Amino acid sequence: MPQIASSHPESPSTAPGDQMRRRGTAALLFLLVALPASYWLFASLADLWAHVEPLEGAPFMLAATLLGAALAIAPLTALVGFILSIWYGVESVYMPRSRPTPLLDRVITGVGLLVWFAPTLASAGLAARALIEGRVHFVRPPRDYFLATDPIAFWQGLGFWLIMGSLFAFLAWRYWRGKLLRQPAAN
C-alpha cells in the first residue's frame, strides 16, 4: 500500500525539546500578562468597587461576580503560568532540540533548582532562625514557643521545620536526581 505524503514535511522544530520550550514560553507569556493584570486589579480594587457598589439587583450581582472572578482568576493564571514555564523549561533542557542553547539551559536549570529547593531553604532558614532567637514562631494559629520557658514545645516546633524541610528536599531530589546526574540532551 503506498504511503501518503504529509502536507507538512518534518521540520527540525518538531523536536520534543523544542515543543517543550515553546510550551514554556507560552506559559511564561501567561505569567507576564496575568501578573501585571493581578497587580492592577488589586491596586485599583477600591476604585473598581466604587463602580460596583451603587448598582442594585442583577447588575450588582453580575458586576460583583465578574470582579470576584477576575480577582481569583488573574493570580491563579499567573501562578499556573509560573509553574508551567519552569516545568516545561526544565524538561526542555533534557530533551533533544534542533539547536543547542547552553547558556539558556544553565539559566533554566538554575532557576528550576532554586524553585524546587526553595521550600527546603525556607524551612532550613526558619529552623536556623529559631535556634538563633531561641523561639519558634507559627503564624496560624499564632504561637510562639520559647526555649527558655517551654523547651519541649520549642524542640517540637524546630523538629517540625526540620521534618518539613527534609520532606521538601526529598521530593525535590526525587525529581532532580535523574536530571542532575546526566548531561542535557545532545542536539
Side-chain angles (χ1 to χ4, degrees):
M1 203 189 254
Q3 293 279 340
I4 298 175
S6 172
S7 62
H8 300 296
E10 197 66 28
S11 68
S13 66
T14 59
D18 292 336
Q19 292 172 356
M20 289 298 229
R21 190 69 55 97
R22 275 194 300 268
R23 289 178 188 160
T25 303
L28 185 61
L29 289 175
F30 274 107
L31 168 66
L32 294 177
V33 168
L35 192 61
S38 287
Y39 179 78
W40 178 80
L41 279 169
F42 282 96
S44 59
L45 183 58
D47 297 333
L48 293 171
W49 185 250
H51 294 293
V52 173
E53 189 176 23
L55 300 174
E56 294 180 8
F60 171 79
M61 290 300 292
L62 180 64
T65 301
L66 290 175
L67 180 60
L71 289 171
I73 290 171
L76 186 62
T77 302
L79 178 66
V80 168
F82 175 72
I83 291 170
L84 288 179
S85 67
I86 297 295
W87 179 273
Y88 287 135
V90 168
E91 291 296 319
S92 75
V93 169
Y94 297 96
M95 292 182 163
R97 292 184 314 278
S98 60
R99 60 188 164 102
T101 55
L103 180 61
L104 183 58
D105 291 350
R106 285 187 188 106
V107 169
I108 290 171
T109 302
V111 170
L113 280 167
L114 180 65
V115 168
W116 256 268
F117 283 97
T120 300
L121 296 173
S123 295
L126 289 170
R129 180 178 176 191
L131 283 173
I132 292 168
E133 292 179 352
R135 137 185 114 99
V136 174
H137 175 72
F138 292 101
V139 177
R140 294 206 187 260
R143 300 271 192 266
D144 285 308
Y145 300 112
F146 295 93
L147 177 61
T149 58
D150 196 0
I152 294 174
F154 171 82
W155 289 112
Q156 286 176 340
L158 184 69
F160 169 78
W161 287 122
L162 293 175
I163 289 169
M164 292 308 296
S166 299
L167 173 68
F168 295 141
F170 173 74
L171 294 174
W173 177 247
R174 290 285 296 168
Y175 176 75
W176 280 98
R177 73 179 177 159
K179 293 178 178 1
L180 292 178
L181 300 177
R182 68 176 188 208
Q183 293 295 325
N187 297 311

